[in-house]
Amino acid sequence: MSSGGLVLHGRDWLQGRPFLLMGIVNVTPDSFSDGGRFLDPSAAVAHGLSLAAEGADLLDLGAESSRPGSDPVPEEEELRRLLPVVRGLRQALPEVPLSVDTTKAAVAEAALDAGADMVNDISAGTFDPAMIPLCARRGVPLVLMHMRGRPKTMQEAPRYTDAVAEVREELEARTRAAEAAGLGPGTLVLDPGIGFGKRPADNLALLRDLPALASLGYPLLVGASRKSLVGALTGAPVDGRLPGSLAFHVAALLGGARIFRVHDVAAHRQALLCAAALLPFRAAP
Ligand code: HH2
């Protein structure tokens, strides 16, 4: 159902693989699960290296937390945190694609200049109108993630009549905008945005009905890793949410998701390799 691939370094990384693992490197003082642990550039680079050693196919580098209630980070500060880590990981891991998790086109452009390969924009290009044209001009893949509102206030009163239909419609509109700018198969990935301006029931509806989003024709990325949805259902604290994260990601794989943004790479690799063996018509990795 999903098509389009993910072309990086001249080849489609989804070709012949049931899934890709995107390891999370948060260079932030305040991320919800690992804030402050990797703020030092050498700690962040070391963390990226260990995620790659665990089997991460790509790394997602972010220097601005988007947890509910978080404040935006000024561009200069985001660049100051991010660029040494992009440069360090580019040098240490020339083969591993690096994604930059930012909503600012200037930050994305500087990261691409420093060696990043793709952009992950939680605002789907809505916060900065220069983001989609930048990715089109540079010919780099862009993740369009769905969010209602902004991180600071998005969880205050999220409201949907039909979350799946509304998220699909809003992602489709962003997809059309990206296509109009020249992005398309190989350079677009869609993401329902688990926890971004959504109630637990909305997140569950989206995870349950991923085929409705996969039918938009682009690979789906899902990120439920350690998120509050797992806490809401189980009461588990942030550092005890790996089992619930695995469960959601296995279900998402079976529902058609292809890329998983995760903190715990080795555990996801094992769980998803086993789940992927149950999928029909997909080549073993
Ligand atoms: N979730 C987070 C950040 N970026 N990008 C995509 N495409 N999809 C997601 O679900 C997603 C994302 C939030 O997680 P994390 O980076 O761990 O925390 P924080 O935003 O607090 O840094």
Side-chain angles (χ1 to χ4, degrees):
M1 230 194 295
S2 87
S3 62
L6 177 64
V7 177
L8 291 157
H9 299 175
R11 69 180 170 95
D12 181 358
W13 284 62
L14 282 167
Q15 183 71 44
R17 301 182 194 203
F19 63 86
L20 294 174
L21 287 174
M22 176 185 256
I24 301 171
V25 180
N26 282 324
V27 196
T28 57
D30 56 345
S31 286
F32 77 93
S33 81
D34 52 8
R37 286 189 57 201
F38 311 115
L39 191 53
D40 175 62
S42 57
V45 170
H47 185 55
L49 288 173
S50 82
L51 294 179
E54 285 181 41
D57 300 292
L58 349 161
L59 295 174
D60 190 40
L61 319 182
E64 176 177 64
S65 172
S66 51
R67 71 179 199 292
S70 60
D71 286 308
V73 173
E75 183 180 309
E76 309 70 52
E77 174 63 9
E78 199 178 335
L79 285 168
R80 195 185 64 74
R81 294 177 189 170
L82 192 63
L83 291 184
V85 181
V86 175
R87 291 194 196 102
L89 283 170
R90 179 71 305 144
Q91 195 175 15
L93 298 170
E95 307 293 327
V96 176
L98 302 178
S99 159
V100 57
D101 183 349
T102 186
T103 59
K104 301 183 188 77
V107 171
E109 183 153 35
L112 293 172
D113 290 342
D117 303 286
M118 62 180 281
V119 178
N120 170 26
D121 184 349
I122 60 164
S123 79
T126 62
F127 288 4
D128 187 339
M131 185 66 96
I132 286 175
L134 167 73
C135 294
R137 193 167 69 246
R138 299 288 290 256
V140 297
L142 173 62
V143 179
L144 298 173
M145 195 201 79
H146 180 273
M147 167 166 50
R148 281 263 177 99
R150 290 185 172 255
K152 180 82 182 163
T153 52
M154 66 188 176
Q155 289 308 117
E156 282 174 9
R159 192 183 302 275
Y160 298 80
T161 307
D162 180 338
V164 175
E166 290 166 50
V167 168
R168 188 184 192 283
E169 196 176 299
E170 291 167 29
L171 273 181
E172 185 171 22
R174 300 313 301 154
T175 303
R176 297 290 166 252
E179 287 170 342
L183 294 167
T187 54
L188 278 183
V189 171
L190 306 181
D191 181 341
I194 300 302
F196 284 86
K198 296 168 185 93
R199 300 163 296 189
D202 304 320
N203 292 310
L204 292 171
L206 287 161
L207 288 166
R208 197 179 290 127
D209 207 357
L210 285 175
L213 302 181
S215 69
L216 288 169
Y218 288 101
L220 291 183
L221 186 155
V222 166
S225 187
R226 302 183 186 171
K227 284 193 175 165
S228 65
L229 178 61
V230 178
L233 291 170
T234 64
V238 173
D239 64 0
R241 294 179 185 165
L242 175 58
S245 308
L246 293 170
F248 281 135
H249 289 145
V250 163
L253 178 82
L254 301 178
R258 303 292 306 278
I259 308 170
F260 299 88
R261 184 180 177 280
V262 304
H263 300 88
D264 306 284
V265 170
H268 275 89
R269 196 171 142 70
Q270 182 178 115
L272 292 173
L273 279 172
C274 291
L278 302 174
L279 289 172
F281 315 123
R282 292 228 180 113

Short mmCIF file of all heavy atoms in Angstrom, two decimals, residues 26 31-32 65-67 101 120 122 143 145 191 196 221 223 227 261 263, ligand 1:
data_model
loop_
_atom_site.label_atom_id
_atom_site.label_comp_id
_atom_site.label_asym_id
_atom_site.label_seq_id
_atom_site.Cartn_x
_atom_site.Cartn_y
_atom_site.Cartn_z
N ASN A 26 18.65 13.44 20.94
CA ASN A 26 18.12 14.73 21.41
C ASN A 26 19.23 15.54 22.06
O ASN A 26 19.70 15.20 23.14
CB ASN A 26 17.00 14.52 22.44
CG ASN A 26 15.68 14.13 21.78
OD1 ASN A 26 15.37 14.62 20.69
ND2 ASN A 26 14.92 13.27 22.43
N SER A 31 14.23 17.52 26.77
CA SER A 31 13.36 16.54 26.11
C SER A 31 12.67 15.68 27.16
O SER A 31 13.21 15.49 28.26
CB SER A 31 14.17 15.64 25.17
OG SER A 31 14.50 16.36 24.01
N PHE A 32 11.49 15.15 26.82
CA PHE A 32 10.68 14.54 27.87
C PHE A 32 11.30 13.27 28.45
O PHE A 32 11.07 12.94 29.61
CB PHE A 32 9.24 14.28 27.39
CG PHE A 32 9.10 13.07 26.49
CD1 PHE A 32 8.77 11.84 27.03
CD2 PHE A 32 9.29 13.17 25.13
CE1 PHE A 32 8.63 10.71 26.22
CE2 PHE A 32 9.16 12.05 24.31
CZ PHE A 32 8.84 10.83 24.85
N SER A 65 13.27 20.70 21.97
CA SER A 65 12.24 19.78 22.46
C SER A 65 10.87 20.23 21.95
O SER A 65 10.60 21.42 21.82
CB SER A 65 12.22 19.76 23.99
OG SER A 65 11.11 19.01 24.44
N SER A 66 10.02 19.25 21.66
CA SER A 66 8.65 19.56 21.25
C SER A 66 7.65 18.92 22.20
O SER A 66 6.50 18.72 21.87
CB SER A 66 8.42 19.06 19.82
OG SER A 66 8.81 17.71 19.71
N ARG A 67 8.12 18.63 23.42
CA ARG A 67 7.20 18.03 24.40
C ARG A 67 6.08 19.04 24.71
O ARG A 67 6.29 20.27 24.59
CB ARG A 67 7.94 17.64 25.68
CG ARG A 67 8.36 18.82 26.48
CD ARG A 67 9.07 18.50 27.78
NE ARG A 67 9.00 19.66 28.64
CZ ARG A 67 9.62 20.81 28.42
NH1 ARG A 67 10.39 20.94 27.35
NH2 ARG A 67 9.46 21.83 29.22
N ASP A 101 15.81 17.14 12.93
CA ASP A 101 14.45 17.36 13.45
C ASP A 101 14.33 18.84 13.80
O ASP A 101 14.73 19.27 14.88
CB ASP A 101 14.28 16.46 14.69
CG ASP A 101 12.89 16.52 15.30
OD1 ASP A 101 12.09 17.40 14.92
OD2 ASP A 101 12.61 15.68 16.17
N ASN A 120 13.24 16.34 9.16
CA ASN A 120 12.05 15.87 9.86
C ASN A 120 11.38 17.09 10.47
O ASN A 120 11.90 17.67 11.42
CB ASN A 120 12.48 14.86 10.93
CG ASN A 120 11.35 14.48 11.87
OD1 ASN A 120 10.17 14.56 11.49
ND2 ASN A 120 11.69 14.07 13.07
N ILE A 122 8.21 18.58 12.35
CA ILE A 122 6.99 18.23 13.09
C ILE A 122 5.83 19.16 12.74
O ILE A 122 4.69 18.88 13.10
CB ILE A 122 7.22 18.24 14.62
CG1 ILE A 122 7.68 19.61 15.10
CG2 ILE A 122 8.20 17.14 15.02
CD1 ILE A 122 7.56 19.80 16.60
N VAL A 143 10.14 14.70 6.12
CA VAL A 143 9.05 14.06 6.87
C VAL A 143 8.02 15.14 7.18
O VAL A 143 8.34 16.16 7.80
CB VAL A 143 9.55 13.44 8.19
CG1 VAL A 143 8.38 12.82 8.96
CG2 VAL A 143 10.65 12.41 7.94
N MET A 145 5.06 15.74 9.41
CA MET A 145 4.34 15.19 10.57
C MET A 145 3.12 16.03 10.87
O MET A 145 3.15 17.26 10.77
CB MET A 145 5.26 15.16 11.80
CG MET A 145 4.71 14.29 12.94
SD MET A 145 5.40 14.69 14.55
CE MET A 145 4.44 16.16 14.96
N ASP A 191 3.67 11.23 8.68
CA ASP A 191 3.70 10.79 10.08
C ASP A 191 2.45 11.33 10.77
O ASP A 191 2.19 12.54 10.72
CB ASP A 191 4.98 11.38 10.72
CG ASP A 191 5.17 11.00 12.18
OD1 ASP A 191 4.20 10.61 12.84
OD2 ASP A 191 6.30 11.15 12.67
N PHE A 196 0.87 14.74 19.38
CA PHE A 196 0.98 16.15 19.00
C PHE A 196 -0.41 16.75 18.77
O PHE A 196 -0.96 16.70 17.67
CB PHE A 196 1.84 16.30 17.74
CG PHE A 196 3.32 16.14 18.01
CD1 PHE A 196 3.91 14.88 18.01
CD2 PHE A 196 4.12 17.24 18.28
CE1 PHE A 196 5.27 14.73 18.27
CE2 PHE A 196 5.48 17.10 18.54
CZ PHE A 196 6.05 15.84 18.53
N LEU A 221 5.91 7.09 8.82
CA LEU A 221 6.80 7.04 9.98
C LEU A 221 5.91 7.13 11.22
O LEU A 221 4.96 7.92 11.25
CB LEU A 221 7.77 8.22 9.92
CG LEU A 221 8.89 8.33 10.95
CD1 LEU A 221 10.05 9.16 10.37
CD2 LEU A 221 8.46 8.95 12.26
N GLY A 223 6.14 7.46 15.55
CA GLY A 223 6.97 7.66 16.74
C GLY A 223 6.12 7.64 18.00
O GLY A 223 5.50 8.64 18.35
N LYS A 227 6.22 7.53 24.79
CA LYS A 227 5.32 8.68 24.88
C LYS A 227 4.24 8.51 25.95
O LYS A 227 3.97 7.42 26.43
CB LYS A 227 4.71 8.96 23.51
CG LYS A 227 5.75 9.66 22.61
CD LYS A 227 5.17 10.25 21.37
CE LYS A 227 6.27 11.01 20.63
NZ LYS A 227 5.90 11.32 19.25
N ARG A 261 10.62 5.87 14.72
CA ARG A 261 11.52 6.81 15.41
C ARG A 261 11.56 6.39 16.87
O ARG A 261 10.57 6.52 17.58
CB ARG A 261 10.97 8.23 15.22
CG ARG A 261 11.84 9.32 15.79
CD ARG A 261 11.22 10.68 15.57
NE ARG A 261 12.02 11.72 16.18
CZ ARG A 261 11.98 12.02 17.47
NH1 ARG A 261 11.15 11.39 18.28
NH2 ARG A 261 12.76 12.97 17.95
N HIS A 263 13.86 5.52 20.75
CA HIS A 263 15.00 5.73 21.64
C HIS A 263 15.78 4.43 21.83
O HIS A 263 16.98 4.46 22.02
CB HIS A 263 14.52 6.19 23.02
CG HIS A 263 13.75 7.47 23.03
ND1 HIS A 263 12.39 7.53 22.84
CD2 HIS A 263 14.17 8.75 23.19
CE1 HIS A 263 11.99 8.79 22.91
NE2 HIS A 263 13.05 9.56 23.11
N1 HH2 B 1 8.17 13.00 18.26
C1 HH2 B 1 9.01 13.83 18.93
C2 HH2 B 1 9.90 14.64 18.23
N2 HH2 B 1 9.98 14.59 16.88
N3 HH2 B 1 9.23 13.67 14.83
C3 HH2 B 1 8.42 12.86 14.15
N4 HH2 B 1 8.47 12.80 12.81
N5 HH2 B 1 7.51 12.06 14.78
C4 HH2 B 1 7.37 12.07 16.14
O1 HH2 B 1 6.50 11.33 16.66
C5 HH2 B 1 8.23 12.94 16.90
C6 HH2 B 1 9.16 13.75 16.19
C7 HH2 B 1 8.97 13.89 20.42
O2 HH2 B 1 9.84 12.94 20.98
P1 HH2 B 1 11.30 13.24 21.59
O3 HH2 B 1 12.22 13.75 20.55
O4 HH2 B 1 11.76 12.03 22.29
O5 HH2 B 1 11.06 14.33 22.70
P2 HH2 B 1 11.22 15.90 22.73
O6 HH2 B 1 10.33 16.49 21.72
O7 HH2 B 1 10.80 16.27 24.15
O8 HH2 B 1 12.66 16.21 22.45
#
